Amino acid sequence: MQNHQFRLTSRPAGAVQRSDFSYGSEAVRALVEGEVLVQIKYVSLDPAMRGWMNASENSYMPPVGIGEVMRAIAAGKVIDSRNDGFAVGDHVTGLLGVQEYAISSGQGLFKVDAALAPLPLFLGTLGMTGMTAYFGLLDVGQPKEGDTVVVSGAAGAVGATVGQIAKIKGARVVGIAGGADKCRYLVEELGFDAAIDYKSEDVAAALKQHCPNGVNVFFDNVGGEILDAVLAKLAMGARVVICGAISQYNNLEAAKGPANYLQIMVKRATLRGVMVSDYYPRAKEAITDMAGWIRAGKLKTREDVVAGLESFPETFNKLFDGSNNGKLVLKVA
Amino acid sequence: MQNHQFRLTSRPAGAVQRSDFSYGSEAVRALVEGEVLVQIKYVSLDPAMRGWMNASENSYMPPVGIGEVMRAIAAGKVIDSRNDGFAVGDHVTGLLGVQEYAISSGQGLFKVDAALAPLPLFLGTLGMTGMTAYFGLLDVGQPKEGDTVVVSGAAGAVGATVGQIAKIKGARVVGIAGGADKCRYLVEELGFDAAIDYKSEDVAAALKQHCPNGVNVFFDNVGGEILDAVLAKLAMGARVVICGAISQYNNLEAAKGPANYLQIMVKRATLRGVMVSDYYPRAKEAITDMAGWIRAGKLKTREDVVAGLESFPETFNKLFDGSNNGKLVLKVA
C-alpha cells in the first residue's frame, strides 16, 4: 500500500510554494503493538500551519522538521489496529499530517461519531476550529448581553463561529471581512448586526459608525492594521482576544506590532490569547453546545472542500488571499 | 500678587522646546466661595505630561488646550481659603499646574501631613508615583514568591519602587536601565538581583542569562524594543503590566507596537495597563504600606529636585534623555 505525502523540504519565505515541499510516496509499514493505521479522508488547512513551517524557537509547538511530513489535523477511518482503544471502522481526528495514511500511537487521536455529522464538520465547527471560537469568545472574551463584539476574519471558519455564538449570547456583533460577498453572507445569512469590508471601507470610520459605544470584546484573527483600528475604539474594560494574526504570517519582515497598544492601559482593557489545546479537557462542553445550536438552526457552518491531496500548497494559500469560503478542507481522493 | 506660569502655546513635535510654551505672569484673582488658593512649592515632572501635550482624542484625559496653563501634579500650601474643607496652612497635592499659585475648587485636592515626610515625597513614593508602582505591581502584576519580576525604566521613580516592592514580596527582581551607574544603584543600593544596561548590553541575551526560567511579571515603563525583548522571554502564564512607553512619547512617527505580541497567546499571558486614578479609593492602603516600608528601611526613595520654575522645559526633558536620578521634581523658588 503506497502512501502519498507532502514533506517540508525548505522553510517558506512569505507565501508557501510547491517547491517548499516534496510530494512523493512510500510503502506503508506494518504496525507494531499499540499502533493504529488511519486512512485519511480529509485534511484540515489552518492558518496556524504557516507558523509551524517557520524555525521559531518561541512557538507553542516545535517547528516541523525539514524532511518531515507536513503537520496537519486530519480526519479518517481506522483500517488496521493493534491498539485496544481503536477498532477497524472507527472514525478519528488528530494531528495525522498531509498524507493518505497515518500510523498513530493512539495518543492525541480522538474518536468521532460519523453518524452525527459529516466528517469535515469534525475538522471545523465540531473540531479545533469550533473549540477555538467557543472558548476564545466565552472563556477569554466573556461577552455580556448587550455588549458590542467585533470579530476580524469574520467570514473565516473561526470568525463566523465566534460571531454566531456572540449573537446566541445576546451581543451586538460586527464582523470585519474582505469583500462585499463575504460581508453580505455575514449579515444576511449568519445574522451579524453589521459587517465592515476592509477592502473597500475605511475600517476606523466604519467602526465608529457601527460601534457608537465602543468595542467591548474584540476577537482578532488578523492582526496588523485591523488590530490597531479596533484598539483605537475599545470601550472601557474591553477584552481583546488574540487568536491569530493571519495578516502577518507570510510577512518577510518582522511582524507589525499594534502601535495603539497603549489603549489597553487607557481603556482598562485586557489582552489575552486563546490556545485551543488548553481546553481539550473541556471539549465535550463545547461540542455538546455547538451540536445543539447546529441542530436548532442557530449556528450555521460552511465547509470549503477542495478535492485532491496533491493540490495542498496552492489550496493552502487560499487561506491567505481570502479566497476560501468557510472552513478549508482538503478531500483526499 | 503675581503668578508666574507656563502656558502651552503649540503642540510639541518630538522633545518639548521652550518655544512650545509661554512663560509669563498675571495677577492672582480674588477667590469666590468654595475656592482655595495654593502657593505651589514643588511641581512633579512625569512622563505622562508629554502625552497631555498631544492633540489625541483617545487618551484618558483631554489634552491640555492651547493657551492653557500646563497641567502637572504639584504640592503646596494653602494661603487663602473660602472652602470649609481646607484651612490656611494645610499642605496639599493635586493637578495644580506648572505655576506659582493655583486656585482650586477643592475637587481633586488632597491634604498631606507635611510632618510625616518632606513635601516632595508626596509627589513621589507617597504620591501618584508610588501608588502607580504599588497597585500596578501588586494588583495587576500579582507577583508570587519566587517569581521573576522584570521592570524597565528601573532607575526611574516608578521603576525603582516597583522593584523594591517586588523584593519585599519575595520575588527575584531584574531591572533594565540605561548606564552603568544606574545599574550599580539598582543592585548595590536597592537590592535588585540583577540589572541590565540597555545602553551597553544585548538585552535579549542578558534576559536569557538573568531569567533562566522566563519572566513571570514584566512591569513596562518603556515600550519599544525593550518590550519586544521581554515578550520573547515570558514564562507560561506571565502578567505584563503596561504603565507607559517613555521610549515612544517623543516619537515623530507613529509609536512602535510590540511585534512579539503573539507571545501573549503562546505563553498564555495577560497584558493589562495600570491607571493610578482607578486606585484613588484605595490610596490609604498603599500609603500606609509604603510609609511603613520607608520607616523600616526596606523601601528607599530618591528625589531629583531641580530649583527654579523657569527651567521647566529643559528640566522636563531630563525624563527622556535618562539624565534624572529618581523622582524628578521642580522646586518653585
Side-chain angles (χ1 to χ4, degrees):
Chain A
M1 199 158 47
Q2 286 290 306
N3 176 24
H4 284 89
Q5 52 192 198
F6 277 91
R7 291 179 181 271
L8 185 69
T9 52
S10 62
R11 307 223 172 267
V16 306
Q17 300 188 19
R18 182 158 283 270
S19 57
D20 295 320
F21 303 91
S22 67
Y23 180 61
S25 78
E26 56 186 46
V28 176
R29 67 165 171 78
L31 297 184
V32 299
E33 192 52 41
E35 287 183 337
V36 178
L37 178 63
V38 180
Q39 181 180 19
I40 294 175
K41 305 282 190 183
Y42 297 95
V43 176
S44 177
L45 299 184
D46 298 292
M49 294 166 68
R50 182 63 190 82
W52 300 342
M53 298 174 196
N54 293 336
S56 166
E57 58 171 297
N58 267 323
S59 195
Y60 55 99
M61 272 194 189
V64 176
I66 296 296
E68 286 180 11
V69 173
M70 181 57 209
R71 186 188 295 148
I73 299 170
K77 198 162 136 181
V78 174
I79 57 170
D80 192 8
S81 178
R82 294 188 61 185
N83 181 314
D84 290 344
F86 298 89
V88 169
D90 282 350
H91 287 89
V92 293
T93 66
L95 279 171
L96 299 171
V98 184
Q99 55 186 345
E100 293 172 320
Y101 297 94
I103 292 173
S104 164
S105 69
Q107 240 204 325
L109 199 64
F110 301 98
K111 277 194 267 194
V112 300
D113 183 357
L116 199 73
L119 217 43
L121 209 59
F122 292 101
L123 297 176
T125 312
L126 297 181
M128 304 294 177
T129 303
M131 281 174 56
T132 301
Y134 182 93
F135 290 111
L137 178 69
L138 299 181
D139 204 71
V140 185
Q142 302 185 9
K144 292 175 214 31
E145 208 174 317
D147 271 0
T148 296
V149 173
V150 173
V151 54
S152 64
V158 170
T161 309
V162 166
Q164 292 180 87
I165 298 175
K167 284 302 297 178
I168 289 167
K169 296 294 182 181
R172 181 182 154 68
V173 177
V174 178
I176 305 176
D181 282 349
K182 287 185 177 176
C183 286
R184 211 170 10 244
Y185 168 71
L186 295 178
V187 174
E188 291 177 9
E189 298 199 35
L190 303 188
F192 281 43
D193 295 284
I196 298 171
D197 175 5
Y198 73 83
K199 290 188 177 169
S200 72
E201 290 184 71
D202 174 341
V203 175
L207 284 168
K208 204 165 185 171
Q209 180 196 334
H210 296 302
C211 312
N213 301 318
V215 177
N216 303 102
V217 177
F218 178 43
F219 191 107
D220 190 27
N221 295 300
V222 170
E225 288 168 18
I226 287 177
L227 173 55
D228 262 332
V230 182
L231 287 176
K233 294 288 181 295
L234 294 182
M236 207 52 81
R239 284 81 66 201
V240 178
V241 186
I242 302 296
C243 180
I246 202 168
S247 70
Q248 304 299 305
Y249 293 165
N250 276 338
N251 263 12
L252 293 177
E253 292 146 49
K256 185 191 172 302
N260 286 336
Y261 79 102
L262 290 177
Q263 288 297 312
I264 298 288
M265 175 172 69
V266 172
K267 297 295 172 51
R268 284 73 163 170
T270 303
L271 186 145
R272 283 175 60 202
V274 53
M275 288 294 289
V276 67
S277 50
D278 296 348
Y279 294 99
Y280 288 171
R282 292 173 59 190
K284 208 180 160 193
E285 183 184 326
I287 306 299
T288 305
D289 271 356
M290 289 195 289
W293 293 329
I294 291 172
R295 249 178 285 126
K298 289 178 178 174
L299 178 58
K300 291 179 183 158
T301 69
R302 187 159 69 160
E303 292 77 42
D304 189 341
V305 180
V306 177
L309 182 71
E310 65 281 5
S311 76
F312 164 67
E314 295 78 21
T315 305
F316 180 71
N317 279 333
K318 290 181 66 174
L319 289 169
F320 297 90
D321 65 16
S323 66
N324 63 310
N325 282 302
K327 172 63 197 164
L328 189 62
V329 165
L330 212 51
K331 185 176 197 300
V332 179
Chain B
M1 198 156 50
Q2 286 291 306
N3 176 25
H4 284 87
Q5 52 192 199
F6 277 91
R7 289 177 181 272
L8 185 69
T9 53
S10 62
R11 306 223 171 267
V16 307
Q17 300 190 17
R18 182 157 283 269
S19 57
D20 295 319
F21 303 91
S22 66
Y23 180 61
S25 78
E26 55 185 47
V28 176
R29 67 166 172 79
L31 298 184
V32 300
E33 193 52 40
E35 287 184 338
V36 179
L37 178 63
V38 179
Q39 182 180 20
I40 293 172
K41 304 283 191 184
Y42 297 94
V43 176
S44 177
L45 299 184
D46 297 292
M49 294 167 68
R50 182 62 191 82
W52 301 342
M53 298 175 196
N54 293 337
S56 165
E57 59 171 294
N58 268 324
S59 195
Y60 56 98
M61 274 194 187
V64 175
I66 297 296
E68 286 180 12
V69 173
M70 180 58 211
R71 186 187 295 148
I73 300 169
K77 198 163 136 178
V78 173
I79 58 170
D80 193 5
S81 178
R82 295 188 62 185
N83 180 315
D84 290 345
F86 299 90
V88 170
D90 282 351
H91 286 89
V92 292
T93 65
L95 279 172
L96 299 170
V98 185
Q99 55 185 346
E100 292 172 323
Y101 298 95
I103 291 173
S104 163
S105 68
Q107 241 205 324
L109 200 64
F110 301 97
K111 277 194 267 195
V112 299
D113 183 357
L116 200 73
L119 218 42
L121 209 58
F122 292 101
L123 297 176
T125 312
L126 298 181
M128 304 294 177
T129 304
M131 281 173 57
T132 301
Y134 182 94
F135 289 111
L137 178 68
L138 298 181
D139 205 71
V140 185
Q142 301 185 11
K144 293 177 216 24
E145 208 173 316
D147 271 359
T148 296
V149 173
V150 173
V151 54
S152 64
V158 170
T161 309
V162 166
Q164 292 179 87
I165 298 175
K167 283 303 297 177
I168 289 167
K169 296 294 181 181
R172 178 182 157 68
V173 177
V174 178
I176 305 175
D181 283 349
K182 286 185 177 177
C183 287
R184 208 167 13 243
Y185 168 71
L186 294 178
V187 174
E188 291 178 9
E189 297 199 34
L190 302 188
F192 282 43
D193 296 283
I196 299 170
D197 175 5
Y198 72 84
K199 290 187 177 170
S200 72
E201 290 183 73
D202 174 341
V203 174
L207 283 168
K208 204 164 185 173
Q209 180 195 335
H210 296 302
C211 311
N213 301 319
V215 177
N216 303 102
V217 178
F218 179 43
F219 191 109
D220 188 28
N221 296 299
V222 169
E225 288 167 19
I226 288 177
L227 173 54
D228 262 333
V230 182
L231 286 176
K233 294 288 180 296
L234 294 183
M236 207 50 82
R239 285 81 67 201
V240 178
V241 186
I242 301 296
C243 181
I246 201 167
S247 70
Q248 304 299 306
Y249 294 165
N250 276 338
N251 264 13
L252 292 178
E253 293 146 47
K256 185 191 173 304
N260 286 336
Y261 79 101
L262 290 178
Q263 288 297 311
I264 297 288
M265 177 173 69
V266 172
K267 297 295 171 52
R268 285 71 163 171
T270 303
L271 186 145
R272 283 176 59 200
V274 53
M275 289 293 290
V276 65
S277 51
D278 295 347
Y279 294 98
Y280 288 171
R282 293 173 57 189
K284 208 181 159 192
E285 184 183 325
I287 306 299
T288 305
D289 270 356
M290 289 196 286
W293 292 331
I294 291 172
R295 249 178 285 125
K298 290 179 180 172
L299 177 58
K300 290 179 183 160
T301 70
R302 186 158 70 160
E303 292 79 41
D304 188 342
V305 179
V306 177
L309 182 71
E310 64 283 2
S311 75
F312 163 67
E314 294 78 21
T315 305
F316 180 71
N317 279 333
K318 290 180 66 173
L319 288 169
F320 297 90
D321 65 16
S323 65
N324 62 308
N325 282 302
K327 171 66 197 163
L328 189 62
V329 165
L330 212 52
K331 184 178 199 296
V332 180

